[in-house]
C-alpha cells in the first residue's frame, strides 16, 4: 500500500466531504446501515475466522469478548447509525456573529477537521462508530484496528466503502490500514493528515506523539474510580460499584479501583464482597480493607493498573479530600464517580477531580458517546484541549471565521476615518 497516495486521495476526498449537506450524508449513512444488515452473514463469517485464530493464540477472554461481532452487535451498531442520522447537521453552524462595522460582519462557523487517522483496539463495532462519526462530520478517515480483527475490519471497510460511494460519497474518504508499517508511514504525512486519534495505553499514545508532527488527541488508559463516601446509601453503592466493575469489564470506562470512606467500610465491604464473589471478581485490598474482608494484598502498582478484567483494587480513605487526592494521583483523567447523599461533598468531588467525566451516584459505565446522545464516539479524550471526554461529532469539528464586507479596507480604521462598533448579531452565515 502506497500510504502517501492513500493520504493524498483522502485529502482530496475531504474537500468534497466538506461540501456535502446533511441530506447527502444521511443518505449515505442509511445506505451503510442497510448494507451492514444485508451482509451480516459475511461479517459474522469473517469474525468467526478472527475469533478462531485469536482463541488459538490464547487471547484473553475479555479481549475475545471485545472482538466478537455477532448479530446482536451488528444490530446495535445499526441502531447507533440510525440514532446518528437523527442528530442535527453539525457542519455550517454559526457559533458567533458580530457586526464589526456597518456592512462588515464576522461569522464563526463549524467545519470538518479534514483527514483524521484513528488507531483503535480489536473492536469491530468501534470501526463502524468511528467511520460513521467521521462521515456525519464531513471528514475523511484512515483506520487502523487491532490485528486480531483483521478479517472483520476488512469486510466492514469494503461494505462501508461500497455502500457510501454508491450513495454519492467521494472515493478515498475511508481507507483501512492493516500493518504497523502503514501506521508509521501515516505518522509522517503531516502535509495531508490533520489529526491522529490513538486509542490505547499512555505508553502507546506517547509513542504516537513522539513520532509524529501531526496533532494528537490522546485517549489514554481508563483507570476509573468509584468513591463510596461516609454519607452513601450503601445499597446504592453496592449496585453502582458492581455495575461499574462488571457490566462489561473489557472497556475503558469500567471501574478499576474502589475507594471507601473508613466510616462506611465495616458495613459496606462484606456486602460488596458477597456480590463481587458472585461475579468471580478477584479483589486486592490495602491493609485496612484486609482487616474487614479476606482479600489479596494490594501493592502501589495496583492503583495505577487498568485490569480490563474481573479484578478490582480497594483502598480505604479518611475523607473525600484523600479520595480526590488519590484519584488525581493515580487516575488517567477518564471517569470517576462518587456515591453520597451529601450534596456539598458531591459537588466538591466533581469540581476537584481532574477527569473528563465526573459522576454523582451513577456508574462509570455511563461515560460513552452513545449514552450521552452523541450518536457514538471515536474514543474518550483525556486531554484538555479541543475535545474532552467522549468524543462525538463536536470533537471532530473545527471552525473558521468568515468575514463578509463591502469593499472595506483596514487603512480607513488605522487612520480614524472609520471606527469599529463590535455589535453582537443574531444571524447565521446562511442569512447573509
Amino acid at each position: 500500500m502506497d500510504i502517501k497516495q492513500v493520504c493524498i486521495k483522502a485529502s482530496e476526498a475531504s474537500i468534497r466531504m466538506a461540501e456535502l449537506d446533511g441530506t447527502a450524508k444521511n443518505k449515505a449513512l442509511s445506505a451503510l446501515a442497510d448494507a451492514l444488515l444485508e451482509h451480516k452473514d459475511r461479517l459474522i463469517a469473517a469474525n468467526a475466522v478472527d475469533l478462531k485464530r485469536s482463541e488459538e493464540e490464547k487471547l484473553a477472554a475479555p479481549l475475545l469478548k471485545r472482538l466478537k461481532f455477532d448479530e446482536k452487535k451488528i444490530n446495535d451498531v445499526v441502531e447507533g447509525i440510525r440514532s446518528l442520522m437523527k442528530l442535527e447537521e453539525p457542519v455550517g453552524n454559526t457559533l458567533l456573529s458580530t457586526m464589526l462595522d456597518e456592512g462588515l460582519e464576522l461569522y464563526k462557523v463549524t467545519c470538518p477537521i479534514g483527514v483524521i487517522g484513528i488507531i483503535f483496539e480489536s473492536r469491530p463495532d468501534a470501526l463502524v462508530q468511528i467511520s460513521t462519526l467521521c462521515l456525519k462530520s464531513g471528514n475523511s478517515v484512515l483506520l487502523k484496528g487491532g490485528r486480531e480483527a483483521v478479517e472483520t475490519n476488512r469486510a466492514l471497510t469494503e461494505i462501508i466503502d461500497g455502500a457510501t460511494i454508491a450513495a454519492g460519497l467521494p472515493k478515498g474518504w475511508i481507507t483501512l490500514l492493516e500493518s504497523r508499517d502503514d501506521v508509521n508511514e501515516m505518522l509522517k504525512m503531516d502535509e495531508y493528515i490533520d489529526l491522529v486519534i490513538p486509542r490505547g495505553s499512555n505508553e502507546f499514545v506517547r509513542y504516537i506523539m513522539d513520532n509524529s508532527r501531526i496533532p494528537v488527541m490522546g485517549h489514554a488508559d481508563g483507570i476509573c474510580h468509584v468513591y463510596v463516601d461516609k454519607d452513601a446509601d450503601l445499597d446504592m453503592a453496592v449496585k453502582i460499584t458492581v455495575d461499574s466493575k462488571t457490566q462489561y469489564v473489557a472497556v475503558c470506562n469500567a471501574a478499576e479501583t474502589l475507594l471507601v470512606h473508613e466510616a462506611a467500610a465495616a458495613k459496606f465491604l462484606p456486602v460488596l464482597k458477597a456480590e463481587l464473589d458472585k461475579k468471580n471478581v478477584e479483589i486486592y485490598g490495602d491493609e485496612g480493607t484486609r482487616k474487614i474482608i479476606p482479600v489479596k494484598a494490594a501493592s502501589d502498582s495496583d492503583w495505577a493498573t487498568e485490569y480490563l478484567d474481573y479484578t478490582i483494587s480497594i483502598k480505604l480513605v479518611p475523607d473525600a479530600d484523600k479520595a480526590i487526592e488519590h484519584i488525581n494521583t493515580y487516575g488517567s483523567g477518564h471517569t470517576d464517580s462518587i456515591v453520597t447523599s451529601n450534596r456539598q461533598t458531591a459537588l466538591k468531588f466533581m469540581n476537584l477531580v481532574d477527569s473528563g467525566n465526573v459522576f454523582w451516584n451513577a456508574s462509570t459505565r455511563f461515560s460513552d458517546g452513545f449514552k450521552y446522545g452523541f450518536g457514538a464516539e471515536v474514543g474518550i479524550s483525556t486531554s484538555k484541549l479541543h475535545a474532552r471526554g467522549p468524543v462525538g461529532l463536536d470533537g471532530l469539528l473545527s471552525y473558521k471565521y468568515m468575514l463578509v464586507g463591502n469593499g472595506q479596507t483596514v487603512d480607513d480604521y488605522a487612520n480614524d476615518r472609520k471606527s469599529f462598533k463590535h455589535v453582537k448579531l443574531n444571524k447565521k452565515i446562511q442569512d447573509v
Side-chain angles (χ1 to χ4, degrees):
M1 181 180 289
D2 186 332
I3 298 301
K4 183 174 182 179
Q5 286 303 311
V6 165
C7 292
I8 289 173
K9 289 179 180 178
S11 181
E12 291 172 348
S14 71
I15 304 300
R16 290 193 54 202
M17 291 289 288
E19 68 179 357
L20 294 173
D21 61 20
T23 300
K25 287 186 281 189
N26 280 343
K27 177 184 175 183
L29 286 169
S30 180
L32 190 165
D34 291 343
L36 292 178
L37 293 175
E38 181 183 347
H39 295 285
K40 67 180 179 182
D41 290 341
R42 176 189 172 188
L43 291 169
I44 292 170
N47 188 242
V49 175
D50 288 331
L51 286 170
K52 184 175 184 297
R53 182 187 62 254
S54 297
E55 288 170 354
E56 292 171 351
E57 294 175 354
K58 309 298 183 185
L59 187 68
L63 300 182
L64 282 172
K65 187 175 181 180
R66 278 189 177 195
L67 177 60
K68 189 173 184 179
F69 197 60
D70 54 13
E71 186 168 2
K72 181 182 183 305
K73 284 194 176 180
I74 293 172
N75 290 333
D76 286 345
V77 297
V78 168
E79 180 186 349
I81 295 169
R82 306 291 190 204
S83 173
L84 187 61
M85 291 170 60
K86 295 176 183 176
L87 297 182
E88 292 183 7
E89 169 57 30
V91 177
N93 291 330
T94 301
L95 305 177
L96 170 152
S97 56
T98 304
M99 184 185 76
L100 305 187
D101 194 5
E102 294 290 343
L104 187 62
E105 297 177 351
L106 179 69
Y107 298 85
K108 181 180 181 181
V109 182
T110 58
C111 63
I113 288 174
V115 182
I116 304 176
I118 304 180
I119 310 161
F120 57 99
E121 67 279 31
S122 298
R123 277 181 50 203
D125 52 325
L127 186 148
V128 181
Q129 293 171 359
I130 291 165
S131 59
T132 53
L133 280 171
C134 287
L135 193 167
K136 181 81 172 183
S137 55
N139 293 289
S140 291
V141 62
L142 307 179
L143 300 160
K144 172 60 174 74
R147 68 173 186 84
E148 295 84 358
V150 60
E151 297 296 335
T152 316
N153 287 344
R154 190 177 292 155
L156 276 170
T157 306
E158 289 175 0
I159 292 167
I160 292 170
D161 188 44
T164 55
I165 289 175
L169 265 58
K171 291 182 179 180
W173 85 269
I174 181 171
T175 303
L176 180 68
L177 310 182
E178 294 193 353
S179 73
R180 195 170 292 178
D181 288 342
D182 289 345
V183 172
N184 288 331
E185 284 300 305
M186 179 188 75
L187 296 178
K188 301 174 186 177
M189 299 294 159
D190 53 290
E191 183 178 353
Y192 307 106
I193 300 176
D194 300 289
L195 178 68
V196 172
I197 303 177
R199 294 164 45 138
S201 67
N202 279 309
E203 291 78 10
F204 174 66
V205 174
R206 176 53 58 190
Y207 172 82
I208 299 297
M209 291 177 173
D210 291 344
N211 287 274
S212 183
R213 292 194 296 266
I214 304 169
V216 175
M217 184 188 294
H219 169 203
D221 290 340
I223 302 175
C224 303
H225 301 76
V226 173
Y227 166 54
V228 177
D229 186 50
K230 66 181 178 65
D231 297 316
D233 177 306
L234 297 188
D235 289 337
M236 178 191 294
V238 169
K239 184 178 179 182
I240 287 173
T241 303
V242 171
D243 189 80
S244 296
K245 177 68 262 183
T246 69
Q247 197 276 328
Y248 191 178
V249 298
V251 285
C252 57
N253 59 14
E256 307 292 15
T257 296
L258 171 67
L259 303 173
V260 183
H261 195 291
E262 293 171 347
K267 288 185 177 180
F268 173 68
L269 289 178
V271 179
L272 175 69
K273 184 176 186 302
E275 293 302 312
L276 291 178
D277 285 348
K278 295 176 184 177
K279 304 282 188 177
N280 296 315
V281 176
E282 188 173 31
I283 303 173
Y284 292 86
D286 67 349
E287 182 179 355
T289 299
R290 299 197 308 277
K291 288 179 179 178
I292 300 172
I293 54 175
V295 296
K296 295 181 179 180
S299 64
D300 283 346
S301 64
D302 283 299
W303 313 131
T305 298
E306 183 181 24
Y307 299 111
L308 295 174
D309 206 343
Y310 287 91
T311 306
I312 194 168
S313 56
I314 302 177
K315 182 179 183 179
L316 304 192
V317 293
D319 51 37
D321 288 333
K322 284 297 181 183
I324 293 166
E325 180 182 321
H326 177 99
I327 293 169
N328 287 340
T329 300
Y330 294 99
S332 59
H334 193 298
T335 303
D336 302 288
S337 181
I338 181 174
V339 185
T340 186
S341 60
N342 187 310
R343 180 177 180 274
Q344 184 175 353
T345 303
L347 293 178
K348 180 178 186 179
F349 179 93
M350 291 194 289
N351 284 327
L352 298 185
V353 167
D354 191 19
S355 296
N357 305 272
V358 283
F359 298 166
W360 176 13
N361 291 344
S363 168
T364 60
R365 287 283 290 116
F366 279 107
S367 61
D368 172 85
F370 179 73
K371 297 182 182 72
Y372 280 11
F374 298 167
E377 67 182 39
V378 297
I380 303 281
S381 173
T382 52
S383 68
K384 300 182 185 180
L385 298 177
H386 173 60
R388 193 179 194 191
V391 181
L393 290 176
D394 287 349
L396 298 180
L397 297 173
S398 183
Y399 56 82
K400 60 179 69 174
Y401 288 99
M402 300 181 179
L403 184 62
V404 180
N406 188 28
Q408 289 88 345
T409 61
V410 169
D411 188 66
D412 286 336
Y413 298 90
N415 290 290
D416 298 325
R417 291 187 292 273
K418 292 184 177 181
S419 61
F420 292 110
K421 295 182 173 56
H422 293 141
V423 177
K424 289 186 178 181
L425 302 175
N426 186 24
K427 288 180 65 177
K428 298 179 179 179
I429 187 64
Q430 292 85 353
D431 297 331
V432 173

